[in-house]
Amino acid sequence: MSHIAREKTKLLNRVRRIRGQIEAVERALEQEIGCADVLQLIAGARGAINGLMLEVMEDHIRMHVVEPEAGSESERAEAAEELIEVVRSYLK
């Protein structure tokens, strides 16, 4: 069983909270509230996305890179390379 499937409910709950935060940004823009308030909402949503990314990334490292049962050395190296690609694109 994939670690994503094991954590599915927790991750989906986080995504639903993020959706709510994004909808709050949309409502704020529609209602033309102050830019400082909109920036605060955006910062909160960004933090939530970063938290979700960290959660999935940490599980990936633990399950596919660090764990000896994760597979052969080449499979672990491939998992590490996949992670590097994702981090690289995320930080651009």
Side-chain angles (χ1 to χ4, degrees), residues 21-45:
Q21 289 175 298
I22 296 299
E23 288 170 353
V25 171
E26 182 180 17
R27 284 190 304 273
L29 292 170
E30 287 173 346
Q31 296 169 5
E32 299 178 6
I33 71 165
C35 59
D37 292 330
V38 172
L39 288 169
Q40 193 66 34
L41 291 169
I42 292 168

PDB file of all heavy atoms in Angstrom, residues 21-45:
ATOM      1  N   GLN A  21      -9.203  28.271   1.906  1.00  0.00           N
ATOM      2  CA  GLN A  21      -8.366  29.468   1.980  1.00  0.00           C
ATOM      3  C   GLN A  21      -8.316  30.183   0.629  1.00  0.00           C
ATOM      4  O   GLN A  21      -8.371  31.408   0.573  1.00  0.00           O
ATOM      5  CB  GLN A  21      -6.956  29.102   2.443  1.00  0.00           C
ATOM      6  CG  GLN A  21      -6.919  28.699   3.896  1.00  0.00           C
ATOM      7  CD  GLN A  21      -5.547  28.230   4.312  1.00  0.00           C
ATOM      8  OE1 GLN A  21      -5.034  27.241   3.777  1.00  0.00           O
ATOM      9  NE2 GLN A  21      -4.961  28.927   5.261  1.00  0.00           N
ATOM     10  N   ILE A  22      -8.222  29.431  -0.442  1.00  0.00           N
ATOM     11  CA  ILE A  22      -8.202  30.023  -1.786  1.00  0.00           C
ATOM     12  C   ILE A  22      -9.546  30.689  -2.079  1.00  0.00           C
ATOM     13  O   ILE A  22      -9.605  31.788  -2.647  1.00  0.00           O
ATOM     14  CB  ILE A  22      -7.858  28.959  -2.853  1.00  0.00           C
ATOM     15  CG1 ILE A  22      -6.447  28.413  -2.642  1.00  0.00           C
ATOM     16  CG2 ILE A  22      -8.025  29.515  -4.264  1.00  0.00           C
ATOM     17  CD1 ILE A  22      -5.334  29.442  -2.753  1.00  0.00           C
ATOM     18  N   GLU A  23     -10.622  30.048  -1.671  1.00  0.00           N
ATOM     19  CA  GLU A  23     -11.951  30.650  -1.861  1.00  0.00           C
ATOM     20  C   GLU A  23     -12.077  31.933  -1.057  1.00  0.00           C
ATOM     21  O   GLU A  23     -12.716  32.893  -1.510  1.00  0.00           O
ATOM     22  CB  GLU A  23     -13.040  29.647  -1.483  1.00  0.00           C
ATOM     23  CG  GLU A  23     -13.165  28.526  -2.505  1.00  0.00           C
ATOM     24  CD  GLU A  23     -14.059  27.379  -2.044  1.00  0.00           C
ATOM     25  OE1 GLU A  23     -14.507  27.369  -0.872  1.00  0.00           O
ATOM     26  OE2 GLU A  23     -14.315  26.481  -2.879  1.00  0.00           O
ATOM     27  N   ALA A  24     -11.446  31.996   0.103  1.00  0.00           N
ATOM     28  CA  ALA A  24     -11.450  33.227   0.899  1.00  0.00           C
ATOM     29  C   ALA A  24     -10.706  34.340   0.170  1.00  0.00           C
ATOM     30  O   ALA A  24     -11.140  35.507   0.198  1.00  0.00           O
ATOM     31  CB  ALA A  24     -10.831  32.977   2.274  1.00  0.00           C
ATOM     32  N   VAL A  25      -9.624  34.007  -0.504  1.00  0.00           N
ATOM     33  CA  VAL A  25      -8.898  34.998  -1.311  1.00  0.00           C
ATOM     34  C   VAL A  25      -9.803  35.502  -2.432  1.00  0.00           C
ATOM     35  O   VAL A  25      -9.905  36.717  -2.667  1.00  0.00           O
ATOM     36  CB  VAL A  25      -7.589  34.408  -1.900  1.00  0.00           C
ATOM     37  CG1 VAL A  25      -6.958  35.370  -2.898  1.00  0.00           C
ATOM     38  CG2 VAL A  25      -6.607  34.061  -0.787  1.00  0.00           C
ATOM     39  N   GLU A  26     -10.483  34.581  -3.097  1.00  0.00           N
ATOM     40  CA  GLU A  26     -11.386  34.956  -4.183  1.00  0.00           C
ATOM     41  C   GLU A  26     -12.488  35.889  -3.672  1.00  0.00           C
ATOM     42  O   GLU A  26     -12.768  36.926  -4.288  1.00  0.00           O
ATOM     43  CB  GLU A  26     -12.001  33.703  -4.802  1.00  0.00           C
ATOM     44  CG  GLU A  26     -12.928  33.995  -5.967  1.00  0.00           C
ATOM     45  CD  GLU A  26     -13.526  32.737  -6.568  1.00  0.00           C
ATOM     46  OE1 GLU A  26     -13.502  31.669  -5.913  1.00  0.00           O
ATOM     47  OE2 GLU A  26     -14.030  32.818  -7.702  1.00  0.00           O
ATOM     48  N   ARG A  27     -13.101  35.536  -2.551  1.00  0.00           N
ATOM     49  CA  ARG A  27     -14.169  36.388  -1.983  1.00  0.00           C
ATOM     50  C   ARG A  27     -13.626  37.769  -1.624  1.00  0.00           C
ATOM     51  O   ARG A  27     -14.272  38.785  -1.869  1.00  0.00           O
ATOM     52  CB  ARG A  27     -14.777  35.724  -0.749  1.00  0.00           C
ATOM     53  CG  ARG A  27     -15.722  34.583  -1.069  1.00  0.00           C
ATOM     54  CD  ARG A  27     -16.487  34.125   0.168  1.00  0.00           C
ATOM     55  NE  ARG A  27     -15.625  33.742   1.282  1.00  0.00           N
ATOM     56  CZ  ARG A  27     -15.105  32.524   1.460  1.00  0.00           C
ATOM     57  NH1 ARG A  27     -15.366  31.564   0.580  1.00  0.00           N
ATOM     58  NH2 ARG A  27     -14.349  32.258   2.493  1.00  0.00           N
ATOM     59  N   ALA A  28     -12.439  37.796  -1.055  1.00  0.00           N
ATOM     60  CA  ALA A  28     -11.832  39.070  -0.664  1.00  0.00           C
ATOM     61  C   ALA A  28     -11.606  39.954  -1.882  1.00  0.00           C
ATOM     62  O   ALA A  28     -11.844  41.167  -1.838  1.00  0.00           O
ATOM     63  CB  ALA A  28     -10.519  38.822   0.075  1.00  0.00           C
ATOM     64  N   LEU A  29     -11.156  39.350  -2.977  1.00  0.00           N
ATOM     65  CA  LEU A  29     -10.940  40.126  -4.201  1.00  0.00           C
ATOM     66  C   LEU A  29     -12.267  40.614  -4.776  1.00  0.00           C
ATOM     67  O   LEU A  29     -12.370  41.760  -5.230  1.00  0.00           O
ATOM     68  CB  LEU A  29     -10.177  39.294  -5.232  1.00  0.00           C
ATOM     69  CG  LEU A  29      -8.720  38.970  -4.859  1.00  0.00           C
ATOM     70  CD1 LEU A  29      -8.144  37.952  -5.829  1.00  0.00           C
ATOM     71  CD2 LEU A  29      -7.883  40.232  -4.816  1.00  0.00           C
ATOM     72  N   GLU A  30     -13.268  39.752  -4.749  1.00  0.00           N
ATOM     73  CA  GLU A  30     -14.585  40.148  -5.262  1.00  0.00           C
ATOM     74  C   GLU A  30     -15.176  41.289  -4.446  1.00  0.00           C
ATOM     75  O   GLU A  30     -15.823  42.183  -4.983  1.00  0.00           O
ATOM     76  CB  GLU A  30     -15.541  38.955  -5.267  1.00  0.00           C
ATOM     77  CG  GLU A  30     -15.237  37.946  -6.349  1.00  0.00           C
ATOM     78  CD  GLU A  30     -16.073  36.676  -6.242  1.00  0.00           C
ATOM     79  OE1 GLU A  30     -16.707  36.442  -5.192  1.00  0.00           O
ATOM     80  OE2 GLU A  30     -16.059  35.909  -7.220  1.00  0.00           O
ATOM     81  N   GLN A  31     -14.945  41.278  -3.139  1.00  0.00           N
ATOM     82  CA  GLN A  31     -15.496  42.294  -2.253  1.00  0.00           C
ATOM     83  C   GLN A  31     -14.597  43.526  -2.156  1.00  0.00           C
ATOM     84  O   GLN A  31     -14.913  44.467  -1.437  1.00  0.00           O
ATOM     85  CB  GLN A  31     -15.723  41.704  -0.855  1.00  0.00           C
ATOM     86  CG  GLN A  31     -16.751  40.607  -0.843  1.00  0.00           C
ATOM     87  CD  GLN A  31     -16.774  39.853   0.480  1.00  0.00           C
ATOM     88  OE1 GLN A  31     -16.091  40.202   1.432  1.00  0.00           O
ATOM     89  NE2 GLN A  31     -17.578  38.795   0.530  1.00  0.00           N
ATOM     90  N   GLU A  32     -13.478  43.469  -2.863  1.00  0.00           N
ATOM     91  CA  GLU A  32     -12.528  44.582  -2.921  1.00  0.00           C
ATOM     92  C   GLU A  32     -12.068  45.024  -1.537  1.00  0.00           C
ATOM     93  O   GLU A  32     -11.992  46.217  -1.233  1.00  0.00           O
ATOM     94  CB  GLU A  32     -13.132  45.756  -3.711  1.00  0.00           C
ATOM     95  CG  GLU A  32     -13.462  45.393  -5.143  1.00  0.00           C
ATOM     96  CD  GLU A  32     -14.098  46.530  -5.932  1.00  0.00           C
ATOM     97  OE1 GLU A  32     -14.180  47.657  -5.409  1.00  0.00           O
ATOM     98  OE2 GLU A  32     -14.511  46.262  -7.070  1.00  0.00           O
ATOM     99  N   ILE A  33     -11.729  44.063  -0.696  1.00  0.00           N
ATOM    100  CA  ILE A  33     -11.208  44.423   0.617  1.00  0.00           C
ATOM    101  C   ILE A  33      -9.780  44.921   0.473  1.00  0.00           C
ATOM    102  O   ILE A  33      -9.171  44.811  -0.601  1.00  0.00           O
ATOM    103  CB  ILE A  33     -11.298  43.255   1.620  1.00  0.00           C
ATOM    104  CG1 ILE A  33     -10.302  42.157   1.270  1.00  0.00           C
ATOM    105  CG2 ILE A  33     -12.693  42.706   1.730  1.00  0.00           C
ATOM    106  CD1 ILE A  33     -10.087  41.173   2.406  1.00  0.00           C
ATOM    107  N   GLY A  34      -9.218  45.450   1.531  1.00  0.00           N
ATOM    108  CA  GLY A  34      -7.892  46.063   1.474  1.00  0.00           C
ATOM    109  C   GLY A  34      -6.800  45.095   1.042  1.00  0.00           C
ATOM    110  O   GLY A  34      -6.866  43.895   1.315  1.00  0.00           O
ATOM    111  N   CYS A  35      -5.796  45.652   0.401  1.00  0.00           N
ATOM    112  CA  CYS A  35      -4.712  44.814  -0.133  1.00  0.00           C
ATOM    113  C   CYS A  35      -3.934  44.122   0.981  1.00  0.00           C
ATOM    114  O   CYS A  35      -3.482  42.990   0.805  1.00  0.00           O
ATOM    115  CB  CYS A  35      -3.793  45.616  -1.041  1.00  0.00           C
ATOM    116  SG  CYS A  35      -3.008  47.020  -0.261  1.00  0.00           S
ATOM    117  N   ALA A  36      -3.784  44.759   2.141  1.00  0.00           N
ATOM    118  CA  ALA A  36      -3.065  44.113   3.239  1.00  0.00           C
ATOM    119  C   ALA A  36      -3.802  42.851   3.690  1.00  0.00           C
ATOM    120  O   ALA A  36      -3.169  41.823   3.972  1.00  0.00           O
ATOM    121  CB  ALA A  36      -2.896  45.076   4.412  1.00  0.00           C
ATOM    122  N   ASP A  37      -5.128  42.927   3.724  1.00  0.00           N
ATOM    123  CA  ASP A  37      -5.913  41.747   4.109  1.00  0.00           C
ATOM    124  C   ASP A  37      -5.810  40.645   3.059  1.00  0.00           C
ATOM    125  O   ASP A  37      -5.709  39.466   3.393  1.00  0.00           O
ATOM    126  CB  ASP A  37      -7.378  42.130   4.329  1.00  0.00           C
ATOM    127  CG  ASP A  37      -7.562  43.027   5.548  1.00  0.00           C
ATOM    128  OD1 ASP A  37      -6.760  42.899   6.503  1.00  0.00           O
ATOM    129  OD2 ASP A  37      -8.489  43.850   5.535  1.00  0.00           O
ATOM    130  N   VAL A  38      -5.832  41.030   1.799  1.00  0.00           N
ATOM    131  CA  VAL A  38      -5.692  40.041   0.717  1.00  0.00           C
ATOM    132  C   VAL A  38      -4.312  39.392   0.798  1.00  0.00           C
ATOM    133  O   VAL A  38      -4.187  38.173   0.679  1.00  0.00           O
ATOM    134  CB  VAL A  38      -5.922  40.694  -0.665  1.00  0.00           C
ATOM    135  CG1 VAL A  38      -5.572  39.716  -1.785  1.00  0.00           C
ATOM    136  CG2 VAL A  38      -7.354  41.175  -0.805  1.00  0.00           C
ATOM    137  N   LEU A  39      -3.288  40.194   1.023  1.00  0.00           N
ATOM    138  CA  LEU A  39      -1.938  39.638   1.144  1.00  0.00           C
ATOM    139  C   LEU A  39      -1.844  38.656   2.298  1.00  0.00           C
ATOM    140  O   LEU A  39      -1.193  37.610   2.186  1.00  0.00           O
ATOM    141  CB  LEU A  39      -0.917  40.767   1.323  1.00  0.00           C
ATOM    142  CG  LEU A  39      -0.652  41.612   0.082  1.00  0.00           C
ATOM    143  CD1 LEU A  39       0.161  42.848   0.456  1.00  0.00           C
ATOM    144  CD2 LEU A  39       0.064  40.799  -0.983  1.00  0.00           C
ATOM    145  N   GLN A  40      -2.512  38.965   3.395  1.00  0.00           N
ATOM    146  CA  GLN A  40      -2.511  38.068   4.546  1.00  0.00           C
ATOM    147  C   GLN A  40      -3.172  36.734   4.198  1.00  0.00           C
ATOM    148  O   GLN A  40      -2.681  35.666   4.569  1.00  0.00           O
ATOM    149  CB  GLN A  40      -3.231  38.730   5.723  1.00  0.00           C
ATOM    150  CG  GLN A  40      -3.026  38.049   7.036  1.00  0.00           C
ATOM    151  CD  GLN A  40      -1.578  38.124   7.509  1.00  0.00           C
ATOM    152  OE1 GLN A  40      -0.885  39.096   7.271  1.00  0.00           O
ATOM    153  NE2 GLN A  40      -1.130  37.088   8.166  1.00  0.00           N
ATOM    154  N   LEU A  41      -4.281  36.798   3.484  1.00  0.00           N
ATOM    155  CA  LEU A  41      -4.971  35.576   3.058  1.00  0.00           C
ATOM    156  C   LEU A  41      -4.094  34.748   2.113  1.00  0.00           C
ATOM    157  O   LEU A  41      -4.034  33.519   2.218  1.00  0.00           O
ATOM    158  CB  LEU A  41      -6.302  35.918   2.388  1.00  0.00           C
ATOM    159  CG  LEU A  41      -7.388  36.480   3.310  1.00  0.00           C
ATOM    160  CD1 LEU A  41      -8.543  37.027   2.478  1.00  0.00           C
ATOM    161  CD2 LEU A  41      -7.856  35.427   4.281  1.00  0.00           C
ATOM    162  N   ILE A  42      -3.433  35.433   1.195  1.00  0.00           N
ATOM    163  CA  ILE A  42      -2.551  34.739   0.246  1.00  0.00           C
ATOM    164  C   ILE A  42      -1.390  34.081   0.991  1.00  0.00           C
ATOM    165  O   ILE A  42      -1.023  32.934   0.704  1.00  0.00           O
ATOM    166  CB  ILE A  42      -2.035  35.711  -0.837  1.00  0.00           C
ATOM    167  CG1 ILE A  42      -3.190  36.156  -1.729  1.00  0.00           C
ATOM    168  CG2 ILE A  42      -0.927  35.063  -1.669  1.00  0.00           C
ATOM    169  CD1 ILE A  42      -2.846  37.322  -2.649  1.00  0.00           C
ATOM    170  N   ALA A  43      -0.824  34.794   1.957  1.00  0.00           N
ATOM    171  CA  ALA A  43       0.286  34.233   2.741  1.00  0.00           C
ATOM    172  C   ALA A  43      -0.165  32.977   3.491  1.00  0.00           C
ATOM    173  O   ALA A  43       0.577  31.985   3.562  1.00  0.00           O
ATOM    174  CB  ALA A  43       0.824  35.280   3.711  1.00  0.00           C
ATOM    175  N   GLY A  44      -1.377  33.011   4.032  1.00  0.00           N
ATOM    176  CA  GLY A  44      -1.894  31.834   4.727  1.00  0.00           C
ATOM    177  C   GLY A  44      -2.072  30.654   3.794  1.00  0.00           C
ATOM    178  O   GLY A  44      -1.734  29.513   4.131  1.00  0.00           O
ATOM    179  N   ALA A  45      -2.599  30.907   2.599  1.00  0.00           N
ATOM    180  CA  ALA A  45      -2.798  29.841   1.617  1.00  0.00           C
ATOM    181  C   ALA A  45      -1.450  29.271   1.165  1.00  0.00           C
ATOM    182  O   ALA A  45      -1.292  28.053   1.036  1.00  0.00           O
ATOM    183  CB  ALA A  45      -3.594  30.361   0.416  1.00  0.00           C
TER     184      ALA A  45
END
